[in-house]
Amino acid sequence: MGQLILVRHGQASFGAADYDVLSETGWEQGRALGRRLVEAGITPTAVIHGSMRRHRETAEAMLETAGWTDFITAADPGWDEFDHVGLVSGHPDLAEGADHAAVDRRRFQEIFEEVTARWTTGEQAGALESYADFLLRVRTSLERAMKVCGTGETVLVVTSGGPIAVVAASLVDPTCVDDQEATARLWARFNTVAVNAAYTRVLVGSTGARLLTFNEHPHLGEDLLTYR
């Protein structure tokens, strides 16, 4: 069997002018992950990342400390996160003119869960992409990654919590693939607990893909453990 390792990006710059940049903690998380993979004896045969800056920078930090400096990475925008910025900006607490500095991480998480719940049912305005389209593009990218993951090979995919939650939900209960409402319930449960720079392992064989682990993060410790 082959193995896909889905990596959630390191911590981005919450509250900064450009969210899509790793924080210093995010860089350290990526480096810690690189060390962890080497210690586990994992050497990838391919590295794929989404097209977002935080994906690329996480891959760079990971590859640097792992010593895979000659590795060529490939970008696949199908692994990009959904437009959560557009979604939350439609909330009164985060709309234009609101005092964003007054919104702490806990309140932001509450807002995030509220607007994404409405988005999965098609009720949330402001999204550039529907939830159904998001599911389709992530599953399409998963199929592409599986095709380059042959027997005994390991493919690393650096992405975001949303796409990883799509994969996990689809593999835990394959019967929900054709049921968007059921998928959304499982997706929300996985998405809200995704840890920055954690990794999820998927086995790929002749009969398809199977979820082996979800959200592994022993390499982070308390000092580097973040969710947003």
Side-chain angles (χ1 to χ4, degrees):
M1 302 185 81
Q3 180 178 214
L4 286 177
I5 298 181
L6 308 181
V7 173
R8 189 189 178 200
H9 63 79
Q11 184 188 62
S13 298
F14 180 84
D18 186 357
Y19 173 82
D20 194 25
V21 177
L22 287 190
S23 66
E24 284 303 315
T25 296
W27 280 101
E28 284 303 314
Q29 290 168 333
R31 296 181 186 112
L33 176 57
R35 290 189 290 269
R36 167 66 178 179
L37 295 177
V38 169
E39 291 168 359
I42 294 171
T43 302
T45 49
V47 178
I48 301 168
H49 59 75
S51 68
M52 294 174 161
R53 180 172 175 176
R54 58 188 181 272
H55 299 155
R56 174 175 54 80
E57 290 183 341
T58 300
E60 290 171 356
M62 180 179 61
L63 295 177
E64 176 187 348
T65 54
W68 304 323
T69 54
D70 295 331
F71 228 101
I72 298 175
T73 61
D76 179 352
W79 289 108
D80 287 356
E81 186 61 287
F82 62 94
D83 181 26
H84 75 278
V85 174
L87 287 175
V88 299
S89 64
H91 192 280
D93 288 0
L94 292 172
E96 186 175 352
D99 183 7
H100 290 201
V103 180
D104 62 15
R105 289 181 182 272
R106 178 170 294 183
R107 178 55 183 149
F108 179 87
Q109 182 64 24
E110 293 173 351
I111 294 170
F112 176 82
E113 292 182 24
E114 179 184 331
V115 298
T116 53
R118 290 202 300 266
W119 175 57
T120 61
T121 60
E123 298 175 8
Q124 177 65 32
L128 298 177
E129 177 182 40
S130 71
Y131 182 62
D133 286 344
F134 171 62
L135 294 178
L136 177 60
R137 74 165 165 85
V138 173
R139 288 167 177 163
T140 300
S141 286
L142 174 63
E143 290 293 329
R144 282 197 293 266
M146 288 171 58
K147 288 179 180 178
V148 297
C149 188
T151 301
E153 296 183 329
T154 297
V155 175
L156 286 178
V157 178
V158 184
T159 178
S160 292
I164 292 173
V166 170
V167 174
S170 300
L171 297 182
V172 164
D173 186 2
T175 63
C176 79
V177 170
D178 296 323
D179 185 339
Q180 184 171 310
E181 184 177 345
T183 299
R185 288 194 296 270
L186 273 177
W187 175 81
R189 290 181 177 273
F190 284 117
N191 192 42
T192 53
V193 297
V195 171
N196 290 119
Y199 61 98
T200 292
R201 291 186 284 170
V202 175
L203 295 181
V204 180
S206 59
T207 58
R210 294 179 182 271
L211 186 68
L212 180 62
T213 67
F214 172 73
N215 214 29
E216 293 186 63
H217 54 273
H219 52 289
L220 297 175
E222 291 185 7
D223 292 342
L224 291 178
L225 183 62
T226 63
Y227 294 85
R228 293 288 169 214

